[in-house]
Amino acid sequence: ELKVEQNPLFLSMQEGKNYTIYCNYSTTSDRLYWYRQDPGKSLESLFVLLSNGAVKQEGRLMASLDTKARLSTLHITAAVHDLSATYFCAVISGGSNYKLTFGKGTLLTVNP
Amino acid sequence: NAGVTQTPKFRVLKTGQSMTLLCAQDMNHEYMYWYRQDPGMGLRLIHYSVGEGTTAKGEVPDGYNVSRLKKQNFLLGLESAAPSQTSVYFCASSPGPSPLHFGNGTRLTVT
């Protein structure tokens, strides 16, 4: 059974600081996703990471994937208040049913 | 382009009542999914479908049934609602191994 663990689950940070969210998963997978969810809203896709060493960047967010370590990171650079949200990583199961298993999410609060 | 539409947006049920949640997508996606989201639990897969006429169980299927009679629609039924089914339900679709497109969610309260 695929397990996905995120840490930290809660992150409070000041504007302008850097931080990293970690996502570990238990079995081999060939793609990993990062999503953002604002309070009371749906989930928005941020990144898809397809191979070992993949790195994607969008604005102040950068995601990377190490398939050998079964680890993905979401790095936040010089945080701003608008980044406050819950961030989920999700890993696709093997086979052709394309099931996504989600981590429990990291609630990020950026304080002025 | 509507994407993934869920109805209703909110619903309150009494214990033992039944209801159906409707998910409709207009992107011609093969794959559709129902997740539930509870505080501190992330999203957990209830049932999914890999094409019209197919359904399969996910991680937490008990107490729910689904049907995919038409490619664009995926229905989630609660046969006899229980307070433990109080949750936010999200439907999602995808054409394959690509990011899921999520609906806006249905907030269900069972009293």
Side-chain angles (χ1 to χ4, degrees):
Chain A
E1 180 189 346
L2 174 59
K3 294 189 186 303
V4 180
E5 292 189 358
Q6 282 182 241
N7 69 83
L9 298 182
F10 301 93
L11 177 55
S12 180
M13 54 192 298
Q14 286 187 311
E15 281 190 330
K17 299 292 187 183
N18 304 333
Y19 210 86
T20 301
I21 299 170
Y22 298 88
C23 174
N24 289 91
Y25 53 99
S26 61
T27 62
T28 302
S29 176
D30 58 2
R31 59 186 65 213
L32 185 141
Y33 303 82
W34 284 97
Y35 287 86
R36 169 183 171 143
Q37 185 181 37
D38 293 306
K41 303 292 186 183
S42 187
L43 283 81
E44 171 192 357
S45 176
L46 293 175
F47 301 110
V48 182
L49 301 169
L50 299 177
S51 60
N52 189 43
V55 177
K56 294 278 184 76
Q57 183 162 6
E58 179 75 32
R60 300 174 188 275
L61 299 177
M62 184 175 71
S64 65
L65 178 62
D66 181 344
T67 58
K68 294 179 183 176
R70 297 178 187 162
L71 171 69
S72 179
T73 60
L74 181 66
H75 187 73
I76 303 152
T77 301
V80 294
H81 180 68
D82 285 351
L83 290 179
S84 296
T86 299
Y87 293 86
F88 292 94
C89 64
V91 179
I92 203 162
S93 302
S96 60
N97 53 33
Y98 305 128
K99 293 189 297 180
L100 253 62
T101 300
F102 284 79
K104 293 184 177 181
T106 297
L107 175 59
L108 171 66
T109 304
V110 181
N111 303 302
Chain B
N1 196 346
V4 179
T5 303
Q6 291 183 232
T7 52
K9 291 183 172 54
F10 303 93
R11 186 72 187 266
V12 178
L13 288 180
K14 293 187 189 298
T15 298
Q17 288 184 320
S18 63
M19 78 163 292
T20 300
L21 282 66
L22 171 64
C23 177
Q25 53 98 0
D26 61 2
M27 297 171 285
N28 203 35
H29 287 171
E30 288 292 335
Y31 299 84
M32 296 187 76
Y33 309 84
W34 276 107
Y35 285 89
R36 61 177 287 173
Q37 183 176 25
D38 302 291
M41 299 296 290
L43 278 81
R44 293 181 291 169
L45 183 63
I46 305 171
H47 286 281
Y48 64 99
S49 169
V50 301
E52 181 179 314
T54 75
T55 62
K57 293 180 180 180
E59 182 185 353
V60 288
D62 294 342
Y64 305 95
N65 57 73
V66 288
S67 65
R68 182 105 182 263
L69 297 180
K70 293 183 179 181
K71 187 176 184 178
Q72 63 267 34
N73 295 336
F74 195 28
L75 305 179
L76 178 70
L78 282 71
E79 299 153 343
S80 178
S84 60
Q85 294 177 304
T86 293
S87 188
V88 180
Y89 292 86
F90 284 100
C91 176
S93 71
S94 76
S98 56
L100 301 185
H101 296 252
F102 282 88
N104 288 328
T106 295
R107 187 173 297 274
L108 174 66
T109 302
V110 182
T111 62

